[in-house]
Amino acid sequence: MTERVAIVTGAARGIGLGIATRLAGDGYPVALVDADEAAVTAAAGELAKTGARTIAIAANVTVTDDVENAVSRVAAELGAPTIMVNNAGITRDNLLAKMSDDDWDSVIAVHLRGPFLFCRAVQGYMREAQWGRIVNMSSIGARGNRGQANYSTVKAGIQGFTKALAFELGPFNVTANAVGPGFVETDMTRRTAERLGMSFDDFVKRAADSTPVRRVGQPADIASAVSYLVRDESSFVSGQVLYVSGGPVG
């Protein structure tokens, strides 16, 4: 398993850190990539204490040079990256009438340009290895959500991107799938509560009450799904969207 090296973006905290922690626990060397250099360095340092092979890379996922340099560094220091988890994300919520150009452009860039750049950079290593796993982060927000025209657009778009990759890279034994989290307790959902003027506890309770399993998600729930999708056992699963949301998504 050691030759199957993973890259996780947005890995300094929240879902990304949960995924990196799980993959490291599964035995994969993991590169943690994040725009927050101090936070990602600290996160990788904590993982290293568990005996994991890991490196921290500060990079802007929307900048071509940053992405290509990050992937080259992973290949040089850990080995050819054949597991790619595109998790980096931001929110810039607002009603359409109040949404600025930057609110739109920044969300589009991080959620769509970022995965495009990373997948383009790693696909050569996967094709050479004749094995690869790509997992892109979507969301139940892909169905549409008030005040999130930008976010809903990218989360729906990433599903189409994932399906296209499944067609293109399948002949090289590379699968591409998307994971669509429901409500997960993270800094991002905490900021959403603040935007809505609610206490986070009330926000969590409302989400749990509307979820069939009567709880909200944790980063470990999403990490478990990713762990399955990058295994050999999932080799016949490609081009799919796995919603991890505590109930059916219509």
Side-chain angles (χ1 to χ4, degrees):
M1 187 180 292
T2 55
E3 73 273 11
R4 293 179 178 173
V5 174
I7 299 175
V8 182
T9 66
R13 57 181 62 84
I15 291 174
L17 180 55
I19 293 169
T21 300
R22 175 59 186 262
L23 295 184
D26 288 346
Y28 302 103
V30 182
L32 284 71
V33 178
D34 201 280
D36 188 334
E37 183 172 9
V40 75
T41 300
E46 288 301 309
L47 270 185
K49 292 178 183 178
T50 69
R53 286 185 61 209
T54 184
I55 58 173
I57 300 177
N60 183 334
V61 300
T62 73
V63 176
T64 301
D65 285 348
D66 276 19
V67 171
E68 293 181 350
N69 290 337
V71 171
S72 294
R73 183 179 162 195
V74 173
E77 297 186 25
L78 293 179
T82 52
I83 297 173
M84 183 70 235
V85 182
N86 287 297
N87 168 78
I90 61 172
T91 54
R92 297 290 185 270
D93 297 346
N94 218 329
L95 295 174
L96 180 63
K98 298 179 180 180
M99 187 172 289
S100 69
D101 289 359
D102 185 63
D103 290 338
W104 179 269
D105 292 343
S106 59
V107 171
I108 295 293
V110 172
H111 289 268
L112 287 180
R113 179 177 171 84
F116 159 68
L117 291 177
F118 264 103
C119 288
R120 186 177 67 180
V122 301
Q123 58 84 30
Y125 295 100
M126 295 178 177
R127 289 160 62 116
E128 183 176 354
Q130 289 290 295
W131 191 95
R133 297 288 184 267
I134 295 170
V135 181
N136 296 320
M137 205 56 58
S138 183
S139 168
I140 60 171
R143 301 172 302 164
N145 197 23
R146 186 176 186 272
Q148 290 191 315
N150 48 7
Y151 188 77
S152 294
T153 296
V154 294
K155 290 309 186 183
I158 202 69
Q159 295 183 15
F161 176 64
T162 300
K163 292 174 187 293
L165 294 183
F167 279 115
E168 287 192 23
L169 298 177
F172 303 98
N173 197 27
V174 177
T175 66
N177 292 286
V179 172
F183 188 105
V184 179
E185 282 194 71
T186 64
D187 290 344
M188 185 177 290
T189 49
R190 189 176 295 275
R191 288 193 297 272
T192 301
E194 292 173 357
R195 176 178 63 85
L196 295 174
M198 297 180 64
S199 75
F200 190 56
D201 287 344
D202 288 343
F203 193 46
V204 168
K205 184 179 185 304
R206 187 177 74 173
D209 289 344
S210 64
T211 302
V213 299
R214 294 298 188 269
R215 73 172 179 88
V216 299
Q218 301 298 324
D221 295 312
I222 312 306
S224 293
V226 174
S227 176
Y228 164 69
L229 290 172
V230 304
R231 298 177 193 171
D232 280 327
E233 291 87 345
S234 68
S235 62
F236 205 53
V237 179
S238 194
Q240 303 304 306
V241 181
L242 174 58
Y243 286 106
V244 185
S245 57
V249 175

